[in-house]
Amino acid sequence: MKTNRKEFIKASALIGLGALTFGVKAQGNPIIEIPEVTDNIKPVNGKFELPPLGYSYNNLEPFIDAVTMEIHYSKHHQAYVNKLNEAIAKEPSLANKSLEDLLLNLSKMPSTARSAIKNHGGGHWNHSFFWKSLKTGTSMGPKFEKLCNASFGNIETFTSTFEKVSMGVFGSGWTWLILQNGQLKIKTSPNQENPLMDAAAVPEMMPKVILGIDLWEHAYYLKHQNRRAEYLSSFWKVVNWNEIEALLP
Ligand SMILES: [Fe+2]
């Protein structure tokens, strides 16, 4: 197991945890397939950049309004990118590392930058993922339906559990749907934390993020005010099921 972990970390360093699937044999158990980490966000000329949104601010109307989208993307997300870059600039040892590499090994980051990576690096990754999770007019795909039924019993149980868990997140945070060891699971995280953080420490449990919802009030307050349940209900209307299907093995 130690050898495998060393090999995994070595591979991570070499490829920045890109698009590979790792096999790990955990203490005599059969090989466990570790799904690839979603995407690989790398700095360009030493700086992380705001990714293209991929659609216009009003594209998700009436479920998510254009003003919210514009402020969320161009102000909030941009601020996470800027503050992450400020922290990275002060730590030459972190130059050119992918965002996933920083997050997967968070506790090993220099203490001077760890908090910024957690808050602003997490913010950058979470929002970059979130924008791709949104699209109008898509339909649930067969791979998701099969896995969802196997993991939760049925689609209705999944959506109601996802909403209930999201309503229970106190203050700001996220709810995630992850794939781990072949099963879909619902997880939550406070602030800008996410399931990738320190996941490299237990590679056989490496999660693959499939879906996430931003539960910060800045994501919905202008339209839905304090009605998080209403926002959750709208969310299902703009989930990008095509993206989910593409992420699943
Ligand atoms: Fe946000």
mmCIF file of all heavy atoms in Angstrom, residues 72 127 214 218, ligand 1:
data_model
loop_
_atom_site.group_PDB
_atom_site.id
_atom_site.type_symbol
_atom_site.label_atom_id
_atom_site.label_comp_id
_atom_site.label_asym_id
_atom_site.label_seq_id
_atom_site.Cartn_x
_atom_site.Cartn_y
_atom_site.Cartn_z
ATOM 1 N N HIS A 72 -21.864 37.111 -9.943
ATOM 2 C CA HIS A 72 -21.285 35.872 -9.427
ATOM 3 C C HIS A 72 -19.994 35.517 -10.183
ATOM 4 O O HIS A 72 -18.966 35.189 -9.596
ATOM 5 C CB HIS A 72 -22.315 34.752 -9.562
ATOM 6 C CG HIS A 72 -22.081 33.571 -8.678
ATOM 7 N ND1 HIS A 72 -22.972 32.530 -8.566
ATOM 8 C CD2 HIS A 72 -21.044 33.244 -7.860
ATOM 9 C CE1 HIS A 72 -22.506 31.629 -7.725
ATOM 10 N NE2 HIS A 72 -21.325 32.027 -7.287
ATOM 11 N N HIS A 127 -16.215 27.172 -8.470
ATOM 12 C CA HIS A 127 -16.998 27.944 -9.439
ATOM 13 C C HIS A 127 -16.714 27.498 -10.876
ATOM 14 O O HIS A 127 -17.638 27.451 -11.697
ATOM 15 C CB HIS A 127 -16.749 29.443 -9.246
ATOM 16 C CG HIS A 127 -17.397 29.973 -8.001
ATOM 17 N ND1 HIS A 127 -16.782 29.922 -6.776
ATOM 18 C CD2 HIS A 127 -18.627 30.510 -7.789
ATOM 19 C CE1 HIS A 127 -17.607 30.415 -5.854
ATOM 20 N NE2 HIS A 127 -18.727 30.788 -6.440
ATOM 21 N N ASP A 214 -23.757 25.659 -5.534
ATOM 22 C CA ASP A 214 -23.270 26.755 -4.703
ATOM 23 C C ASP A 214 -24.405 27.196 -3.786
ATOM 24 O O ASP A 214 -25.457 27.635 -4.259
ATOM 25 C CB ASP A 214 -22.841 27.902 -5.637
ATOM 26 C CG ASP A 214 -22.133 29.022 -4.911
ATOM 27 O OD1 ASP A 214 -22.235 29.096 -3.664
ATOM 28 O OD2 ASP A 214 -21.473 29.835 -5.593
ATOM 29 N N HIS A 218 -24.864 34.593 -2.305
ATOM 30 C CA HIS A 218 -24.558 35.376 -3.510
ATOM 31 C C HIS A 218 -24.993 34.629 -4.781
ATOM 32 O O HIS A 218 -25.097 35.223 -5.845
ATOM 33 C CB HIS A 218 -23.074 35.781 -3.574
ATOM 34 C CG HIS A 218 -22.093 34.663 -3.788
ATOM 35 N ND1 HIS A 218 -20.898 34.567 -3.089
ATOM 36 C CD2 HIS A 218 -22.091 33.587 -4.614
ATOM 37 C CE1 HIS A 218 -20.239 33.505 -3.494
ATOM 38 N NE2 HIS A 218 -20.929 32.894 -4.423
HETATM 39 FE FE FE B 1 -20.422 31.400 -5.505
#
